[in-house]
Amino acid sequence: MYVRHLADPDHEDGVVRLADPLPCGAPSTSVRWWPPVMLDPQWIDENHDAFDVFHLHFGFDTHGPESLAAIVSALRRRRKPLVFTVHDLHNPHQPDTMAHQAQLDVLVPAADALVTLTPGAAKLIAARWGRPALVIPHPHVVAADDIPARRPRPFTVGLHAKSLRPNMAPLPVLEVLTEVVAEWPDARLRVDIHTEIVEPGPKHAPETVAALREAQDAGLLTLHVHDFFSDEELWRYLTDLDLSVLPYTFGTHSGWLEACHDLGTTVATSTCGFYDQQQPCLTYRHDQSGLDTEALADAVRYAYHKRPSWQADPGERRRQRRRIAHAHRALYERVLTRNEKTRW
């Protein structure tokens, strides 16, 4: 979604983004994640005539520093500049930062240009690696034509634990939410989890499921267990919330927050990343040292009493997307020009 929305929505911007190749044997309809085929020195050697700039966003989780260094070497051998957008300074899928930091220690110094989404992230990149990063904000997630109409309902607070990603600690957050939401007779708490959390398998989390079932039996929340939402289902879910509480304990940026901003759903999230530099939101401290329960309760009460309206203006989002597209085009031209003048 992010990469698709880097293009100018109204005009050809002169940038062709190659389709993500399917790995050998994957069906054309597959939605399963796999390491990007392009992240391979052999692919670069075999396809270097098909691209001018190699722009890396995600997908290098399974590559160690040596593998990433080989990819960088292949790009330099083929005289192809590397642009790297630093979305995550702490990978939300990895509680231990060492592996991700080792990857960044290869990519950040090697990139011909760096991009990130917020000034706070850019400042941290400069402090850690002594390199400037161009700040280009996250584009819209939901297209204006896809925004569902809001429906009458009680004030609804949503907590979506997904598949219990390592940066999520929902149970301490849940304890606060059940107490605060119970203060108002016209409010309800909805909690969602993915089916794989409930069923036997590698993601099964019996203690979390038991706590959620107990709270539901006590009438404190409504529990929804389901497979991954489609985009349309996710937009409807978010539109049916007044407040989406993100139970993150570490992270950097959030596409979920951007979707909520498009849809007009207020977000309460941790101060652990740079979420509040992306869009207006409510914040509370929640990190690996613990949860500020009073700050979270205050955020929920503020959302209930003030009903903040922070929905994106579709016209401005479209203009922003054009600016984002032009900023990327200008960046690609700069690294290509610099590349032509540099002897490798």
Side-chain angles (χ1 to χ4, degrees):
M1 187 73 72
Y2 176 93
V3 174
R4 291 202 302 268
H5 288 174
L6 298 183
D8 190 314
D10 301 313
H11 308 284
E12 289 289 338
D13 57 14
V15 177
V16 176
R17 293 177 174 87
L18 300 181
D20 186 17
L22 292 170
C24 182
S28 61
T29 56
S30 176
V31 294
R32 179 180 60 85
W33 182 87
W34 54 75
V37 175
M38 294 177 178
L39 277 179
D40 185 288
Q42 182 177 345
W43 185 93
I44 292 168
D45 284 334
E46 294 175 353
N47 296 274
H48 64 92
D49 288 334
F51 67 94
D52 300 294
V53 177
F54 195 92
H55 191 163
L56 177 60
H57 291 273
F58 307 105
F60 53 89
D61 306 51
T62 59
H63 290 267
E66 297 80 6
S67 175
L68 292 174
I71 291 166
V72 170
S73 295
L75 291 170
R76 288 180 173 168
R77 184 169 61 252
R78 296 299 181 178
R79 298 180 54 83
K80 301 295 180 179
L82 169 64
V83 174
F84 177 38
T85 294
V86 186
H87 291 269
D88 297 314
L89 287 162
H90 188 166
N91 190 320
H93 301 281
Q94 299 173 359
D96 186 348
T97 65
M98 292 184 63
H100 189 65
Q101 291 305 309
Q103 293 167 322
L104 295 182
D105 283 341
V106 173
L107 294 171
V108 173
D112 295 273
L114 297 169
V115 178
T116 195
L117 309 183
T118 56
K123 184 177 180 180
L124 197 54
I125 291 166
R128 288 184 181 176
W129 292 282
R131 296 212 57 195
L134 177 65
V135 177
I136 303 178
H138 197 300
H140 71 89
V141 173
V142 187
D145 294 341
D146 295 332
I147 297 176
R150 288 192 169 267
R151 299 179 290 199
R153 64 185 182 282
F155 183 86
T156 303
V157 177
L159 176 66
H160 201 315
K162 304 181 185 179
S163 295
L164 292 181
R165 202 166 58 187
N167 74 330
M168 289 188 170
L171 292 185
V173 171
L174 178 67
E175 185 175 348
V176 176
L177 295 182
T178 54
E179 292 181 4
V180 177
V181 174
E183 296 176 1
W184 310 299
D186 62 338
R188 64 169 183 159
L189 174 60
R190 170 175 173 165
V191 176
D192 285 66
I193 54 174
H194 289 151
T195 307
E196 60 186 350
I197 298 303
V198 176
E199 296 179 343
K203 293 286 188 177
H204 185 40
E207 293 183 2
T208 298
V209 172
L212 295 175
R213 297 286 192 202
E214 182 180 353
Q216 178 174 242
D217 292 342
L220 299 175
L221 57 86
T222 302
L223 179 62
H224 294 257
V225 179
H226 52 80
D227 293 331
F228 288 72
F229 282 143
S230 67
D231 288 347
E232 293 76 13
E233 290 169 335
L234 179 57
W235 309 157
R236 171 51 65 194
Y237 160 75
L238 292 174
T239 304
D240 283 345
L241 303 181
D242 295 280
L243 176 67
S244 179
V245 181
L246 308 185
Y248 301 158
T249 57
F250 58 87
T252 311
H253 301 116
S254 171
W256 186 280
L257 185 150
E258 296 286 348
C260 287
H261 186 60
D262 290 328
L263 296 166
T265 301
T266 302
V267 170
T269 189
S270 171
T271 55
C272 63
F274 301 106
Y275 309 118
D276 62 343
Q277 293 185 15
Q278 288 185 249
Q279 300 296 348
C281 59
L282 304 172
T283 59
Y284 61 95
R285 187 185 62 78
H286 189 204
D287 52 35
Q288 292 167 302
S289 67
L291 168 66
D292 186 337
T293 58
E294 290 186 7
L296 174 56
D298 287 344
V300 178
R301 293 188 180 107
Y302 183 93
Y304 177 81
H305 291 295
K306 300 297 184 180
R307 309 291 170 103
S309 179
W310 292 326
Q311 184 169 8
D313 174 77
E316 174 53 32
R317 275 296 218 187
R318 198 169 190 86
R319 291 187 290 273
Q320 180 196 49
R321 183 168 160 184
R322 288 199 294 268
R323 294 193 295 269
I324 289 170
H326 296 162
H328 280 86
R329 168 64 189 254
L331 177 62
Y332 298 152
E333 290 175 340
R334 286 198 298 274
V335 295
L336 285 168
T337 300
R338 192 185 312 142
N339 186 52
E340 291 174 357
K341 295 179 179 179
T342 302
R343 291 187 176 182
W344 293 70

